[in-house]
Amino acid sequence: MLFGVHPLIALGVLASTAATDAAYVFFNAAVSGRQRIRAANWSAIWYMLSAFAVISYTENAVYVLFAAAGSWLGAFASVTWLHRTTPPRHDPP
């Protein structure tokens, strides 16, 4: 174990922060779209997912690096997914 890091916990922190950031992006998309129920659901999911990461990396500061990597991956993947599923806007001249 490098720097006292347990690989499964590191993977769990990375995955949970990726999912947390994805939920945050979907929450913001729902708020922007004024979808109250969807926004409330994503908000609840966002807070539930963040609990594992916070609890895990407060025991060892090295896990913050995995949290940051997961955060980046989650935001990148969810914005990519939203971009592909959102129909292009057609603004008349």
Side-chain angles (χ1 to χ4, degrees):
M1 289 191 293
L2 185 64
F3 301 110
V5 173
H6 189 281
L8 289 178
I9 292 177
L11 183 61
V13 170
L14 185 129
S16 68
T17 53
T20 300
D21 256 44
Y24 178 72
V25 169
F26 291 130
F27 164 75
N28 280 315
V31 168
S32 296
R34 297 182 184 255
Q35 300 170 329
R36 293 178 296 175
I37 302 231
R38 185 172 283 170
N41 290 342
W42 279 117
S43 179
I45 291 168
W46 173 27
Y47 277 97
M48 286 177 22
L49 288 170
S50 66
F52 175 79
V54 170
I55 290 167
S56 296
Y57 70 69
T58 54
E59 301 258 338
N60 185 339
V62 176
Y63 289 123
V64 173
L65 300 174
F66 293 95
S71 178
W72 191 93
L73 290 169
F76 182 84
S78 57
V79 171
T80 300
W81 185 82
L82 281 173
H83 181 69
R84 290 181 182 170
T85 60
T86 304
R89 291 179 53 154
H90 181 68
D91 295 327

